[in-house]
Amino acid sequence: MLYGRLDDLRARTAEQLAKVLKDSSGTPQARTEREAANVMYSQQLAQYNSVENGLCFGRLDFDDETHQHIGRIGIFDEDADYEPLLMDWRAPAARPFYLATAAAPDGVRRRRHIRTSMRKVTAIDDEVLDLDAADPTRHEGLTGEAALLAAVNANRTGRMNDIVQTIQAEQDKIIRSGLNGVLVVQGGPGTGKTAVALHRAAYLMYTYREQLSRRGVLVVGPNATFLRYIGQVLPSLGETGVLLSTVGELFPGVEPSRTEPVHIAEIKGRVGMVDVLKAAVRDRQRVPDEHIEIEFEREILKLDKKTCVQARAVARRSRRVHNKAKPLIVPTILDALARQYAERIGSDPLGGANLLEDADIEEIKRELRESAEVQEAIDWLWPILTPQELLEDLFASPDLLASAAPGFPELERQPGGWTVADAALLDEAAELLGIDDSKAKAAEERRRQEEIDYASGVLDILDLHDEADPEILMATDLIDAGRLAGRHEEVDHRTAAERAADDREWTFGHVIVDEAQELSAMAWRVLMRRCPSRSMTLVGDVAQTGDPAGTTSWDAVLAPYVEDRWRMEHLTVNYRTPSEIMAVAADVLGPDADAPTSVRDSGVDPWHREVADIEAGLPEIIAKEAAEIGDGRLAVIVPDGFGGVTPDVDLESQVSVLTVWQAKGLEFDSVLVVDPSAILDGSPRGANDLYVALTRATQRLGVLHPAELPESLSRLVKA
């Protein structure tokens, strides 16, 4: 019945969309309505198509003999006063599915977990919540344990699956937390941080639809591979209007394509780079050593240093950003040049007062303003700059770099495009420079005036027919030319996420950051600009911080922006990593490690093998391990610089070779960690990197080493 109702909704929506696309009426109002309907029906159809698999995954049977099915979206019976056939998992009425226990059943007699493959039921697991047998002091364990273990033991596919069927109580609390303020979710590997973050995005979009549909939700991930990995989760939950992005992609028009040494990225990530960029901007606000010679009307005028200093001071005192302040230097310069020119051509030959009047001086200023040589001089004194030009010039010039960033000659420009760290600097530079949109505004105003003039002509023609009868309303009595022209303007029907992707100054209703511990101080400035309301969810684990520019303290990250006005939730249960692997990983961080508790054993001991020539022996080892896991996914995690790594990891392949950074947030059935000593020595936070590498596996772990095994891995069994 549920799928029949879904098919009806899908068919009806497709029919409405077809009518909209077929409609060719050309009035401005009809065109606007057609475009709005097109967007609405297209989004609805996309939602219905995305929830096909696993549409209904649970049922609650209540003490009063009623029951309620739980699913990905809400579906109602139009023939029965819109009674809910399927309750959206985000609705308050669905919450007992995740929270009810024998000690606190919330009116639930039985909770049923339904597993499906497309429209076929493959398994049913029932939990009977018997109040009479409940012991309030007993630990209740996992909600839907059978369904949960089936999910965590299933082979990986290269794409992250949602956890909507198996959300646990500690996760549900975080997912449904309020919209306002900064929420930090601290959790070790395998605790479901990413899944919680994505389900929280879906929950917030459902609960605060009107508010967030206008401003949108931004989900930030560590790299493009990770974003592809999670890309299907939100659509499967019925949400297609959330923007997924890395920090480096938040600056429109720039796609970071180059890597750089870790220590350079760390320098660029320091908050002190703000002062470097400010100094770089000030260095481009020039004055001549003595003067600038300008030819005007066959006279050589001298724009002296004192005048230029005065003009610069006026612009700087305004506190306007660089590009917006440029017009303020012009009056001082034109006034000095005009009076200098006037003294030459208007002096009384008998030695009296200047013969030119103020009106003459103003006319000279207008002519000077149009002079190409004057404009060239002004452009040299105060050039209009793009963020890209500012950084390219800074890094390419030893003199500019020495002036703005003394002590950091490493920041010189490298060929091959921009890096992720550069993207944050570009965003900061854009704040300091501002956008010179004067020409664009002037062009838009000209276009707008042309449309108004055209509309006015149309109204004049219409009114000619009505002049003979004063009792008949004229066209201009009903609408003016400005409003008529406005009806012909194109309406932007893109979603908030689509518009936000092209607008650097867009501010989001909520921002979710995964692997948040890895962000540099400059990256945090980018994100805080995108969310002035400070409505944010930050998920991460400071024990996994690998980037030298990252943090080991949430307070250090947030204090500059919200002081102590943030809250923290902890995820403590490891659903991904078997206990045997987790024990090995915990040793890497030492006895003080606060590792999460694994919910299961795999029965397979993690192993190690000494291989003198790993690159030569690796293909055979990979083939053997791939055979062990059948249809599962195998990751070979290698140190930076190891052969076989590509920037674009294909997670659809059975075997992926990737670095620790590329593996952030991912999970695989089996993992081979190559040369752990090189990973430990490859970064100041090498132990954290090795911890991350070891905890990507859901079933099996092997470690290959060319020499002696690090002492921290002594728990591994020799293979």
Side-chain angles (χ1 to χ4, degrees):
M1 182 177 182
L2 288 175
Y3 277 105
R5 181 74 182 115
L6 178 65
D7 288 340
D8 289 343
L9 290 170
R10 185 157 42 201
R12 187 181 306 173
T13 304
E15 182 180 353
Q16 293 294 331
L17 179 59
K19 288 181 179 179
V20 167
L21 296 176
K22 186 177 180 181
D23 184 6
S24 59
S25 55
T27 66
Q29 182 175 352
R31 199 163 57 241
T32 298
E33 292 174 352
R34 185 170 64 249
E35 290 171 355
N38 181 14
V39 171
M40 180 184 70
Y41 290 130
S42 296
Q43 290 177 347
Q44 288 180 354
L45 198 58
Q47 182 189 57
Y48 296 145
N49 289 333
S50 65
V51 299
E52 169 81 17
N53 193 26
L55 173 65
C56 174
F57 54 80
R59 193 179 84 174
L60 292 175
D61 295 339
F62 297 100
D63 292 336
D64 61 2
E65 302 301 323
T66 62
H67 66 267
Q68 179 64 65
H69 286 91
I70 310 298
R72 297 177 180 276
I73 61 173
I75 295 180
F76 300 90
D77 187 351
E78 294 182 357
D79 299 327
D81 296 328
Y82 285 89
E83 283 291 318
L85 295 173
L86 187 66
M87 184 67 67
D88 193 301
W89 68 274
R90 296 165 289 188
R95 201 167 190 192
F97 185 78
Y98 302 108
L99 299 185
T101 65
D106 201 14
V108 177
R109 178 173 55 84
R110 180 176 64 182
R111 173 172 46 222
R112 169 167 290 181
H113 294 265
I114 305 170
R115 280 177 272 161
T116 62
S117 176
M118 297 306 290
R119 300 189 177 195
K120 181 180 179 181
V121 175
T122 59
I124 293 177
D125 299 303
D126 285 343
E127 295 177 87
V128 178
L129 307 181
D130 185 356
L131 183 61
D132 294 332
D135 179 359
T137 65
R138 179 170 61 88
H139 175 62
E140 292 300 332
L142 302 171
T143 301
E145 183 171 356
L148 174 63
L149 292 179
V152 298
N153 284 316
N155 283 345
R156 279 10 193 192
T157 64
R159 297 288 183 180
M160 183 179 181
N161 295 319
D162 62 69
I163 62 167
V164 66
Q165 304 176 58
T166 59
I167 294 172
Q168 299 299 297
E170 68 171 1
Q171 297 172 328
D172 184 82
K173 177 183 177 183
I174 296 169
I175 289 169
R176 298 177 190 264
S177 183
L179 176 67
N180 296 329
V182 176
L183 171 64
V184 175
V185 182
Q186 165 70 33
T191 54
K193 298 184 298 297
T194 299
V196 166
L198 295 173
H199 287 69
R200 176 160 169 74
Y203 169 78
L204 293 176
M205 289 293 290
Y206 173 87
T207 307
Y208 304 94
R209 179 76 63 187
E210 182 177 354
Q211 180 176 347
L212 294 180
S213 62
R214 295 193 304 270
R215 301 309 314 166
V217 173
L218 169 67
V219 175
V220 176
N223 53 57
T225 301
F226 175 84
L227 294 181
R228 289 197 304 275
Y229 175 66
I230 68 172
Q232 296 303 311
V233 174
L234 284 167
S236 75
L237 298 174
E239 296 298 340
T240 58
V242 176
L243 178 63
L244 305 181
S245 178
T246 65
V247 173
E249 294 169 337
L250 288 177
F251 190 88
V254 170
E255 294 184 8
S257 59
R258 182 172 63 85
T259 58
E260 61 188 345
V262 171
H263 73 284
I264 298 295
E266 189 274 329
I267 293 173
K268 290 180 178 179
R270 296 177 189 175
V271 72
M273 287 300 297
V274 175
D275 293 330
V276 170
L277 293 176
K278 287 180 178 178
V281 173
R282 292 177 69 88
D283 285 344
R284 301 303 300 275
Q285 298 164 359
R286 307 183 184 102
V287 295
D289 293 334
E290 295 182 3
H291 62 263
I292 300 174
E293 292 187 352
I294 298 173
E295 183 177 353
F296 178 71
E297 298 291 342
R298 296 189 295 275
E299 293 284 341
I300 300 298
L301 306 179
K302 291 186 177 181
L303 183 58
D304 61 88
K305 180 178 181 179
K306 180 179 179 181
T307 298
C308 295
V309 169
Q310 290 174 342
R312 184 177 66 177
V314 170
R316 286 179 173 178
R317 282 197 300 268
S318 72
R319 302 293 184 183
R320 293 185 187 180
V321 293
H322 174 84
N323 288 336
K324 298 287 188 180
K326 179 176 181 176
L328 300 181
I329 74 168
V330 176
T332 301
I333 292 171
L334 293 182
D335 185 71
L337 292 175
R339 295 192 180 279
Q340 186 180 148
Y341 182 69
E343 288 177 1
R344 298 187 185 181
I345 67 170
S347 298
D348 186 344
L350 299 178
N354 195 300
L355 299 177
L356 297 181
E357 299 179 351
D358 290 343
D360 299 319
I361 300 293
E362 291 302 317
E363 180 60 30
I364 293 172
K365 289 182 183 179
R366 282 192 290 272
E367 293 176 0
L368 283 166
R369 184 186 293 272
E370 296 173 358
S371 165
E373 287 205 22
V374 172
Q375 291 177 2
E376 183 179 347
I378 292 174
D379 288 341
W380 182 86
L381 293 169
W382 199 287
I384 293 295
L385 298 168
T386 66
Q388 291 91 327
E389 289 170 340
L390 179 70
L391 260 66
E392 286 173 346
D393 292 349
L394 174 65
F395 293 154
S397 169
D399 291 339
L400 289 176
L401 195 58
S403 174
F408 294 125
E410 305 97 324
L411 295 180
E412 64 184 9
R413 182 77 170 121
Q414 300 294 327
W418 300 104
T419 68
V420 172
D422 288 334
L425 299 182
L426 289 169
D427 200 79
E428 190 72 34
E431 287 293 302
L432 298 173
L433 294 172
I435 299 173
D436 177 31
D437 56 359
S438 57
K439 293 182 179 179
K441 283 185 175 180
E444 175 61 22
E445 181 58 32
R446 286 194 300 271
R447 184 195 65 79
R448 171 68 176 162
Q449 190 57 53
E450 288 173 359
E451 291 183 351
I452 291 175
D453 292 343
Y454 177 80
S456 179
V458 171
L459 292 175
D460 289 343
I461 293 173
L462 292 174
D463 285 343
L464 288 175
H465 300 289
D466 301 327
E467 288 179 350
D469 189 347
E471 298 298 323
I472 297 178
L473 286 174
M474 301 179 69
T476 50
D477 293 326
L478 302 176
I479 190 170
D480 61 28
R483 291 175 60 193
L484 180 60
R487 288 191 173 187
H488 290 269
E489 293 183 356
E490 293 294 328
V491 179
D492 190 349
H493 290 296
R494 292 177 300 168
T495 65
E498 290 169 336
R499 285 179 283 135
D502 295 330
D503 185 354
R504 194 198 70 83
E505 296 183 335
W506 188 275
T507 57
F508 291 88
H510 193 79
V511 171
I512 295 175
V513 186
D514 203 347
E515 302 290 349
Q517 77 279 353
E518 302 291 347
L519 297 187
S520 69
M522 293 302 295
W524 280 114
R525 290 177 65 85
V526 174
L527 291 180
M528 291 299 174
R529 282 193 285 270
R530 300 302 191 277
C531 192
S533 67
R534 304 295 188 257
S535 176
M536 307 179 82
T537 302
L538 316 177
V539 302
D541 179 17
V542 291
Q544 297 185 62
T545 304
D547 195 319
T551 187
T552 56
S553 166
W554 295 117
D555 186 64
V557 165
L558 296 173
Y561 304 102
V562 295
E563 298 180 343
D564 60 353
R565 299 186 303 277
W566 55 279
R567 60 195 191 279
M568 179 181 284
E569 296 287 351
H570 292 268
L571 291 172
T572 59
V573 180
N574 188 335
Y575 304 100
R576 174 207 302 147
T577 317
S579 59
E580 298 94 336
I581 296 177
M582 201 63 226
V584 173
D587 289 344
V588 172
L589 296 184
D592 297 330
D594 186 18
T597 303
S598 297
V599 300
R600 65 193 174 97
D601 305 326
S602 68
V604 180
D605 290 327
W607 53 270
H608 75 95
R609 181 183 305 166
E610 184 173 344
V611 182
D613 187 345
I614 291 182
E615 288 200 40
L618 194 55
E620 181 181 348
I621 298 172
I622 289 176
K624 183 178 179 181
E625 186 63 22
E628 289 284 349
I629 60 174
D631 294 331
R633 293 295 186 271
L634 169 64
V636 183
I637 302 180
V638 300
D640 289 340
F642 189 88
V645 178
T646 61
D648 189 14
V649 180
D650 180 13
L651 296 178
E652 300 286 338
S653 173
Q654 185 188 22
V655 179
S656 299
V657 180
L658 63 173
T659 64
V660 176
W661 174 249
Q662 290 173 317
K664 284 277 183 179
L666 308 183
E667 59 184 24
F668 304 86
D669 298 280
S670 178
V671 169
L672 295 175
V673 176
V674 174
D675 200 351
S677 294
I679 293 176
L680 286 169
D681 298 338
S683 163
R685 291 174 173 165
N688 292 10
D689 285 341
L690 183 56
Y691 180 65
V692 170
L694 296 170
T695 54
R696 299 305 95 195
T698 66
Q699 302 293 339
R700 298 169 56 87
L701 172 67
V703 174
L704 308 176
H705 51 103
E708 187 176 351
L709 188 71
E711 185 178 348
S712 60
L713 298 179
S714 60
R715 197 184 294 260
L716 292 170
V717 175
K718 186 175 182 180

